[in-house]
Amino acid sequence: METVLVTGATGTVGSRVVNGLADCDVAVRAATRAPDDGQFRDGVGVAFDFEKPETWGAAFEGVDAMFLVRPPAITRVGDSILPAIDAAVRVGVERIVLLSVLGAEKNPLLPHRKIEKHLRATDVAWTFLRASFFMENLLKVHQREIAGAGEIVVPAGDGETSFVAAEDVATVATAALTEPGHARHAYDVTGPEALTYHDAARVLSDALGRPVTYEAPSLVRFARHSRRLGRDWPFLLVMAGLYTTARLGLAGRMSDDVERVLRRPPTTFQEWAERNAAAFDLGMSESADDSLNGDG
Ligand SMILES: NC(=O)c1ccc[n+]([C@@H]2O[C@H](COP(=O)([O-])OP(=O)(O)OC[C@H]3O[C@@H](n4cnc5c(N)ncnc54)[C@H](OP(=O)(O)O)[C@@H]3O)[C@@H](O)[C@H]2O)c1
């Protein structure tokens, strides 16, 4: 039986990959910096930190395939993630599926681009999942303002975003980790439609049964709002950069790669909103974790 190591196993996509792999004929190893937190069954969780090379040996031992997530906090991948890839390849990891970002091939500043380039230069069977903006960001980052004031406050103007459900990203990852035919493929993992935040607010209003508005706030208003919520400046700047990408019309590209891999259409924003409506109630906060991870 093959062994699959999932990095970012406690995160938005990795946790769903761990769940998806549970239905496959593989042994799953879930990498986390805190394996004693009881998140995984005995024998599944393994201590792993990209910034602590002493954790790599035990985590990589006997692994055939790896799901590779660049943690948002790691920007200097040359000091951590690239050497970890080399170590994994050295001990025999044959397949690496990377969670990348839509447009990574065109943006030399993105850490994902550096990781992609590095993987291409190895003998490993790589697959790149260039994911669009996760629908889950609205829950993880914006739940409080949507649940409270009934407003989406992001500086995305009237630009479109091809929102994708994290579950779809994870299902594509599970397929790429366990099925043949995905080696040396780069997939654009997007949703089935490109929506403005005006559209997203309308869909959320219907799903939640109460008004959700979007007024296309300026960067200044967004910054003031974010500071009031206690977001720090580095995080605020990352968000501003991301939503400016959408404002400039660079986040709406769509692809049929999800449908081609999964042989079913990707989740629509409406389906996702209806499924997650209860989670937008105040008190069910995922937003304490206030982390947005599409920062490239
Ligand atoms: N959000 C988006 O819309 C979007 C879109 C496209 C691509 N992306 C990309 O997706 C990636 C983030 O994925 P995600 O949202 O699934 O992750 P996430 O929910 O932010 O979780 C981050 C994960 O990284 C792990 N981690 C943190 N520091 C680590 C370290 N030093 N060594 C090893 N693991 C560490 C954490 O695990 P422990 O704390 O348990 O160790 C956690 O599981 C980023 O590269 C982002 O650019 C995001």
Side-chain angles (χ1 to χ4, degrees):
M1 187 189 281
E2 295 216 327
T3 297
V4 181
L5 177 72
V6 179
T7 65
T10 59
T12 307
V13 177
S15 59
R16 290 167 166 88
V17 174
V18 170
N19 290 341
L21 288 171
D23 296 330
C24 302
D25 191 23
V26 296
V28 185
R29 202 174 287 170
T32 167
R33 289 167 300 170
D36 299 328
D37 276 5
Q39 303 207 48
F40 301 107
R41 277 185 291 113
D42 279 356
V44 172
V46 61
F48 179 78
D49 189 330
F50 281 113
E51 296 179 308
K52 293 192 177 152
E54 63 274 22
T55 64
W56 300 350
F60 292 151
E61 195 187 344
V63 167
D64 301 286
M66 169 160 76
F67 182 55
L68 179 58
V69 175
R70 191 273 313 188
I74 296 186
T75 46
R76 293 165 57 88
V77 297
D79 299 337
S80 51
I81 296 179
L82 304 190
I85 289 172
D86 294 341
V89 174
R90 253 195 323 270
V91 299
V93 175
E94 291 172 349
R95 187 191 300 215
I96 296 184
V97 176
L98 169 70
L99 176 55
S100 187
V101 174
L102 195 64
E105 72 281 11
K106 286 184 272 179
N107 189 341
L109 298 177
L110 285 177
H112 307 82
R113 163 80 175 262
K114 296 192 181 87
I115 301 172
E116 288 191 4
K117 222 173 137 199
H118 195 79
L119 282 169
R120 278 182 194 279
T122 68
D123 291 334
V124 86
W126 52 260
T127 307
F128 303 151
L129 309 185
R130 294 181 180 143
S132 185
F133 200 76
F134 303 159
M135 296 174 188
E136 280 67 17
N137 295 333
L138 288 169
L139 259 180
K140 282 190 81 173
V141 185
H142 302 290
Q143 191 251 16
R144 266 183 288 177
E145 67 212 30
I146 294 171
E151 193 181 1
I152 307 176
V153 185
V154 300
D158 302 328
E160 293 181 331
T161 297
S162 55
F163 294 99
V164 67
E167 189 65 37
D168 288 348
V169 183
T171 311
V172 173
T174 305
L177 287 162
T178 57
E179 294 172 359
H182 302 290
R184 305 189 80 79
H185 278 74
Y187 296 122
D188 284 346
V189 182
T190 76
E193 60 206 336
L195 302 177
T196 65
Y197 282 86
H198 302 286
D199 299 327
R202 261 194 303 276
V203 174
L204 279 174
S205 301
D206 286 347
L208 274 54
R210 54 191 155 81
V212 176
T213 59
Y214 172 66
E215 292 172 359
S218 66
L219 271 170
V220 173
R221 191 187 150 212
F222 167 73
R224 279 207 203 102
H225 168 84
S226 294
R227 293 299 291 157
R228 267 201 306 276
L229 288 180
R231 293 175 182 147
D232 62 26
W233 278 104
F235 179 63
L236 193 161
L237 290 173
V238 165
M239 290 177 83
L242 269 173
Y243 289 116
T244 299
T245 310
R247 180 192 286 264
L248 295 174
L250 301 173
R253 194 166 90 222
M254 282 174 290
S255 140
D256 58 5
D257 286 352
V258 170
E259 179 146 15
R260 282 197 295 120
V261 174
L262 301 184
R263 292 178 289 280
R264 61 145 174 94
T267 307
T268 64
F269 188 71
Q270 182 179 341
E271 287 164 344
W272 179 87
E274 286 169 358
R275 210 175 292 154
N276 288 281
F280 280 99
D281 286 341
L282 275 179
M284 296 219 16
S285 177
E286 262 201 76
S287 62
D289 170 22
D290 232 21
S291 62
L292 186 78
N293 306 312
D295 52 334

